[in-house]
Amino acid sequence: EGASFAVKAEVGGEIPPGARLRVGEAAYDMRFTGGAFVHEFKSVEAPFEYRVEAGDARSPLYRVAVRNRAKVKRLAIRTVFPDYLKRAPRDEDPAAGPVAAVEGSRAEIALQATKRLPAVRLAADPALKPRPVGDRWAIDVVKSGTYRFEWTDADGLEGRSPSYVVSALKDQPPKVRLAEPARHVTVRPDGSVTAVVQASDDFALASVALRATRGAGTPVDLAALDVDGTDIRVSRLVRVADLQARPGDTIALFAAARDRKGNESLSPAVTLRVVDEGASRELLVKELGSLIARLRQVLARQRQVLAKTKAPRPAVEVLAADQAGILQSLTEILRAWVNPDLRHLAPRPPLESL
């Protein structure tokens, strides 16, 4: 199947001017090569019958049988991960063929062909260490590359599978950040902050911790967070009093994540600035003054837009852009009002009750 097939008709005596090869209703002119006429069929896929006609001579009818080549019927791949991941093997049955796994994994591949294969070998980069394991073939995923099966089938025909890609994936360090507070915060000695930690890893998290450093001191663990899987988002309340911080102190709050390979990542730190009641009141008054000034600017812009809408032919696109800008300014003012600096200051509750 798929091979070429040549017909050679030798003639003796007086050589006829030409010869034809007949296959059913089709006829093919044969090429004279000196003593013989030849015709070649490229890539024969199905059986057929033929005869040769040269002058008044006709050959018997011959039949060409086609032996089908073996092909891949089914692949099954079991991926065994490195011990440190503590993950169960992954089974793909049927499998497409490509292998993608973390470095250090082992892929065990089972081949089922359309014919019996007395002789089979797995061809791959020697670094992948292709080898038989029971009724499967194994490769070590230590680098990226390719593999394919090569065989001789029950009819003695040689064949091979397509080449399949092996992707050795690096175990990257985890990602971790403080989702809250997202900016530096001012707090009182008896205040608190809600910390929200978000961490993820490409394969498996081992531990996530919330840490703090007071001044130039040594980092301390505030909380060891429960981890299960590749992603975590969890919140913890941080009390300033537990850190024995006093007015004037600064506390660096950050998170640490470690994966099962031992890679560790630290989030950017957020600074908690500890101030007394008087200082917090001054900061609040200053911030409120800024917010009030910004609100006055927005109101002035809104009056201008209102005046433009009363014009005989208002520019709709310009008015829409102006209104969008006003909405953006109001959004930013609201964000400033609910930011952690104001949220955690003691003078805020009385103001909100007005």
Tab-separated table of all heavy atoms in Angstrom, residues 173-178 197-200 205 207-213 219-221 252-259 262-270:
chain	number	residue	atom	x	y	z
A	173	PRO	N	8.431	29.171	39.563
A	173	PRO	CA	8.110	29.608	40.926
A	173	PRO	C	6.665	30.079	41.012
A	173	PRO	O	6.084	30.534	40.015
A	173	PRO	CB	9.092	30.764	41.175
A	173	PRO	CG	10.192	30.548	40.194
A	173	PRO	CD	9.558	29.921	38.988
A	174	PRO	N	6.067	30.010	42.196
A	174	PRO	CA	4.677	30.461	42.332
A	174	PRO	C	4.558	31.972	42.182
A	174	PRO	O	5.542	32.701	42.281
A	174	PRO	CB	4.302	30.009	43.752
A	174	PRO	CG	5.601	29.895	44.473
A	174	PRO	CD	6.616	29.474	43.453
A	175	LYS	N	3.345	32.423	41.957
A	175	LYS	CA	3.029	33.848	41.914
A	175	LYS	C	2.224	34.192	43.157
A	175	LYS	O	1.315	33.440	43.532
A	175	LYS	CB	2.233	34.190	40.654
A	175	LYS	CG	2.972	33.916	39.361
A	175	LYS	CD	2.108	34.232	38.152
A	175	LYS	CE	2.841	33.931	36.850
A	175	LYS	NZ	1.985	34.201	35.660
A	176	VAL	N	2.550	35.316	43.780
A	176	VAL	CA	1.846	35.706	45.003
A	176	VAL	C	1.754	37.223	45.066
A	176	VAL	O	2.684	37.927	44.648
A	176	VAL	CB	2.554	35.129	46.255
A	176	VAL	CG1	3.982	35.638	46.365
A	176	VAL	CG2	1.765	35.419	47.510
A	177	ARG	N	0.642	37.717	45.586
A	177	ARG	CA	0.468	39.148	45.750
A	177	ARG	C	-0.510	39.435	46.871
A	177	ARG	O	-1.314	38.563	47.257
A	177	ARG	CB	-0.025	39.805	44.461
A	177	ARG	CG	-1.471	39.482	44.118
A	177	ARG	CD	-1.877	40.068	42.790
A	177	ARG	NE	-3.306	39.899	42.528
A	177	ARG	CZ	-4.210	40.834	42.771
A	177	ARG	NH1	-3.850	41.993	43.306
A	177	ARG	NH2	-5.491	40.624	42.502
A	178	LEU	N	-0.427	40.641	47.385
A	178	LEU	CA	-1.415	41.129	48.342
A	178	LEU	C	-2.497	41.856	47.553
A	178	LEU	O	-2.257	42.938	47.002
A	178	LEU	CB	-0.778	42.080	49.353
A	178	LEU	CG	-0.012	41.455	50.528
A	178	LEU	CD1	0.583	42.551	51.401
A	178	LEU	CD2	-0.912	40.552	51.352
A	197	VAL	N	-4.660	37.623	50.523
A	197	VAL	CA	-3.511	37.025	49.830
A	197	VAL	C	-4.018	36.187	48.662
A	197	VAL	O	-4.944	35.389	48.817
A	197	VAL	CB	-2.675	36.153	50.783
A	197	VAL	CG1	-1.505	35.510	50.038
A	197	VAL	CG2	-2.177	36.980	51.960
A	198	GLN	N	-3.385	36.379	47.523
A	198	GLN	CA	-3.711	35.592	46.336
A	198	GLN	C	-2.425	34.955	45.816
A	198	GLN	O	-1.433	35.654	45.594
A	198	GLN	CB	-4.347	36.470	45.273
A	198	GLN	CG	-4.862	35.706	44.062
A	198	GLN	CD	-5.667	36.604	43.133
A	198	GLN	OE1	-6.132	37.673	43.537
A	198	GLN	NE2	-5.829	36.176	41.892
A	199	ALA	N	-2.442	33.625	45.651
A	199	ALA	CA	-1.251	32.907	45.185
A	199	ALA	C	-1.663	31.815	44.211
A	199	ALA	O	-2.774	31.283	44.279
A	199	ALA	CB	-0.490	32.302	46.362
A	200	SER	N	-0.748	31.495	43.291
A	200	SER	CA	-1.014	30.428	42.326
A	200	SER	C	0.305	29.799	41.902
A	200	SER	O	1.358	30.424	41.995
A	200	SER	CB	-1.762	30.970	41.102
A	200	SER	OG	-0.962	31.919	40.413
A	205	LEU	N	0.961	24.218	44.902
A	205	LEU	CA	1.445	25.029	46.012
A	205	LEU	C	1.736	24.132	47.206
A	205	LEU	O	1.015	23.164	47.458
A	205	LEU	CB	0.400	26.074	46.404
A	205	LEU	CG	0.200	27.256	45.441
A	205	LEU	CD1	-1.077	28.007	45.801
A	205	LEU	CD2	1.404	28.188	45.491
A	207	SER	N	2.985	25.829	50.410
A	207	SER	CA	2.662	26.652	51.578
A	207	SER	C	2.535	28.105	51.161
A	207	SER	O	3.166	28.553	50.209
A	207	SER	CB	3.747	26.516	52.661
A	207	SER	OG	4.986	27.017	52.192
A	208	VAL	N	1.695	28.827	51.886
A	208	VAL	CA	1.525	30.267	51.708
A	208	VAL	C	1.460	30.880	53.101
A	208	VAL	O	0.749	30.368	53.975
A	208	VAL	CB	0.253	30.605	50.911
A	208	VAL	CG1	0.082	32.121	50.801
A	208	VAL	CG2	0.307	29.992	49.524
A	209	ALA	N	2.214	31.951	53.311
A	209	ALA	CA	2.262	32.586	54.629
A	209	ALA	C	2.133	34.090	54.482
A	209	ALA	O	2.573	34.674	53.484
A	209	ALA	CB	3.565	32.238	55.348
A	210	LEU	N	1.524	34.710	55.499
A	210	LEU	CA	1.454	36.161	55.601
A	210	LEU	C	2.517	36.597	56.596
A	210	LEU	O	2.581	36.080	57.719
A	210	LEU	CB	0.070	36.591	56.070
A	210	LEU	CG	-0.191	38.089	56.183
A	210	LEU	CD1	-0.079	38.758	54.820
A	210	LEU	CD2	-1.562	38.347	56.803
A	211	ARG	N	3.380	37.528	56.188
A	211	ARG	CA	4.508	37.922	57.016
A	211	ARG	C	4.531	39.436	57.202
A	211	ARG	O	3.942	40.185	56.419
A	211	ARG	CB	5.826	37.455	56.389
A	211	ARG	CG	5.968	35.948	56.315
A	211	ARG	CD	7.234	35.537	55.595
A	211	ARG	NE	7.359	34.080	55.501
A	211	ARG	CZ	8.284	33.457	54.793
A	211	ARG	NH1	9.177	34.161	54.099
A	211	ARG	NH2	8.323	32.143	54.761
A	212	ALA	N	5.253	39.848	58.240
A	212	ALA	CA	5.392	41.279	58.518
A	212	ALA	C	6.773	41.547	59.099
A	212	ALA	O	7.350	40.700	59.792
A	212	ALA	CB	4.311	41.751	59.482
A	213	THR	N	7.279	42.743	58.800
A	213	THR	CA	8.556	43.199	59.356
A	213	THR	C	8.335	44.575	59.977
A	213	THR	O	7.857	45.489	59.303
A	213	THR	CB	9.630	43.295	58.262
A	213	THR	OG1	9.770	42.033	57.619
A	213	THR	CG2	10.971	43.702	58.854
A	219	PRO	N	11.634	39.445	59.649
A	219	PRO	CA	10.259	39.082	59.284
A	219	PRO	C	9.699	38.009	60.207
A	219	PRO	O	10.409	37.082	60.622
A	219	PRO	CB	10.398	38.560	57.857
A	219	PRO	CG	11.655	39.184	57.342
A	219	PRO	CD	12.571	39.284	58.516
A	220	VAL	N	8.427	38.139	60.541
A	220	VAL	CA	7.743	37.144	61.371
A	220	VAL	C	6.512	36.666	60.618
A	220	VAL	O	5.890	37.424	59.865
A	220	VAL	CB	7.346	37.727	62.742
A	220	VAL	CG1	8.579	38.082	63.545
A	220	VAL	CG2	6.444	38.939	62.573
A	221	ASP	N	6.175	35.399	60.823
A	221	ASP	CA	4.973	34.845	60.207
A	221	ASP	C	3.754	35.256	61.027
A	221	ASP	O	3.696	35.009	62.239
A	221	ASP	CB	5.058	33.324	60.150
A	221	ASP	CG	5.970	32.843	59.031
A	221	ASP	OD1	6.386	33.674	58.211
A	221	ASP	OD2	6.277	31.631	59.004
A	252	ALA	N	6.157	46.506	57.327
A	252	ALA	CA	6.114	45.992	55.949
A	252	ALA	C	5.315	44.698	55.960
A	252	ALA	O	5.707	43.718	56.604
A	252	ALA	CB	7.515	45.759	55.414
A	253	LEU	N	4.197	44.692	55.284
A	253	LEU	CA	3.317	43.530	55.210
A	253	LEU	C	3.475	42.880	53.841
A	253	LEU	O	3.382	43.555	52.816
A	253	LEU	CB	1.869	43.966	55.436
A	253	LEU	CG	0.807	42.875	55.559
A	253	LEU	CD1	1.026	42.067	56.830
A	253	LEU	CD2	-0.589	43.510	55.576
A	254	PHE	N	3.729	41.563	53.807
A	254	PHE	CA	3.902	40.873	52.531
A	254	PHE	C	3.528	39.404	52.686
A	254	PHE	O	3.304	38.914	53.800
A	254	PHE	CB	5.342	41.012	52.021
A	254	PHE	CG	6.386	40.400	52.918
A	254	PHE	CD1	6.911	39.151	52.644
A	254	PHE	CD2	6.854	41.092	54.035
A	254	PHE	CE1	7.873	38.585	53.460
A	254	PHE	CE2	7.816	40.545	54.858
A	254	PHE	CZ	8.327	39.281	54.569
A	255	ALA	N	3.454	38.714	51.575
A	255	ALA	CA	3.098	37.293	51.566
A	255	ALA	C	4.212	36.492	50.907
A	255	ALA	O	4.941	37.000	50.048
A	255	ALA	CB	1.780	37.063	50.835
A	256	ALA	N	4.342	35.240	51.327
A	256	ALA	CA	5.339	34.325	50.759
A	256	ALA	C	4.646	33.048	50.316
A	256	ALA	O	3.768	32.535	51.013
A	256	ALA	CB	6.422	34.005	51.781
A	257	ALA	N	5.015	32.549	49.145
A	257	ALA	CA	4.441	31.300	48.623
A	257	ALA	C	5.578	30.375	48.195
A	257	ALA	O	6.554	30.814	47.595
A	257	ALA	CB	3.509	31.578	47.455
A	258	ARG	N	5.420	29.111	48.510
A	258	ARG	CA	6.408	28.100	48.141
A	258	ARG	C	5.695	26.962	47.417
A	258	ARG	O	4.597	26.549	47.824
A	258	ARG	CB	7.113	27.566	49.390
A	258	ARG	CG	8.257	26.578	49.092
A	258	ARG	CD	8.799	26.007	50.409
A	258	ARG	NE	9.388	27.050	51.232
A	258	ARG	CZ	10.657	27.432	51.160
A	258	ARG	NH1	11.470	26.852	50.292
A	258	ARG	NH2	11.119	28.378	51.954
A	259	ASP	N	6.309	26.463	46.320
A	259	ASP	CA	5.709	25.318	45.646
A	259	ASP	C	6.366	24.026	46.118
A	259	ASP	O	7.300	24.048	46.927
A	259	ASP	CB	5.775	25.466	44.117
A	259	ASP	CG	7.203	25.458	43.577
A	259	ASP	OD1	8.129	25.057	44.309
A	259	ASP	OD2	7.394	25.853	42.407
A	262	GLY	N	10.084	23.521	45.965
A	262	GLY	CA	10.914	24.328	46.855
A	262	GLY	C	11.122	25.740	46.376
A	262	GLY	O	11.784	26.539	47.045
A	263	ASN	N	10.571	26.097	45.206
A	263	ASN	CA	10.668	27.475	44.725
A	263	ASN	C	9.836	28.391	45.628
A	263	ASN	O	8.684	28.070	45.945
A	263	ASN	CB	10.156	27.590	43.289
A	263	ASN	CG	10.967	26.762	42.310
A	263	ASN	OD1	12.182	26.739	42.376
A	263	ASN	ND2	10.290	26.076	41.398
A	264	GLU	N	10.401	29.526	46.014
A	264	GLU	CA	9.675	30.471	46.872
A	264	GLU	C	9.612	31.837	46.202
A	264	GLU	O	10.580	32.289	45.584
A	264	GLU	CB	10.338	30.608	48.239
A	264	GLU	CG	9.537	31.488	49.201
A	264	GLU	CD	10.156	31.583	50.582
A	264	GLU	OE1	11.244	32.165	50.699
A	264	GLU	OE2	9.542	31.069	51.532
A	265	SER	N	8.470	32.495	46.334
A	265	SER	CA	8.272	33.840	45.817
A	265	SER	C	7.700	34.721	46.915
A	265	SER	O	6.949	34.250	47.779
A	265	SER	CB	7.311	33.839	44.621
A	265	SER	OG	7.823	33.053	43.561
A	266	LEU	N	8.080	36.005	46.874
A	266	LEU	CA	7.574	36.980	47.835
A	266	LEU	C	6.781	38.045	47.091
A	266	LEU	O	7.163	38.468	45.997
A	266	LEU	CB	8.723	37.641	48.599
A	266	LEU	CG	9.674	36.706	49.360
A	266	LEU	CD1	10.773	37.521	50.023
A	266	LEU	CD2	8.923	35.877	50.385
A	267	SER	N	5.692	38.491	47.686
A	267	SER	CA	4.917	39.568	47.092
A	267	SER	C	5.584	40.913	47.391
A	267	SER	O	6.366	41.026	48.344
A	267	SER	CB	3.498	39.577	47.674
A	267	SER	OG	3.512	40.072	49.004
A	268	PRO	N	5.294	41.936	46.596
A	268	PRO	CA	5.729	43.279	46.991
A	268	PRO	C	5.132	43.647	48.342
A	268	PRO	O	4.002	43.257	48.663
A	268	PRO	CB	5.172	44.168	45.868
A	268	PRO	CG	4.972	43.247	44.708
A	268	PRO	CD	4.599	41.929	45.295
A	269	ALA	N	5.874	44.369	49.151
A	269	ALA	CA	5.416	44.722	50.491
A	269	ALA	C	4.537	45.965	50.457
A	269	ALA	O	4.733	46.869	49.641
A	269	ALA	CB	6.608	44.945	51.412
A	270	VAL	N	3.560	45.983	51.346
A	270	VAL	CA	2.727	47.156	51.581
A	270	VAL	C	3.090	47.708	52.953
A	270	VAL	O	3.195	46.960	53.926
A	270	VAL	CB	1.229	46.795	51.511
A	270	VAL	CG1	0.375	47.972	51.955
A	270	VAL	CG2	0.850	46.370	50.098
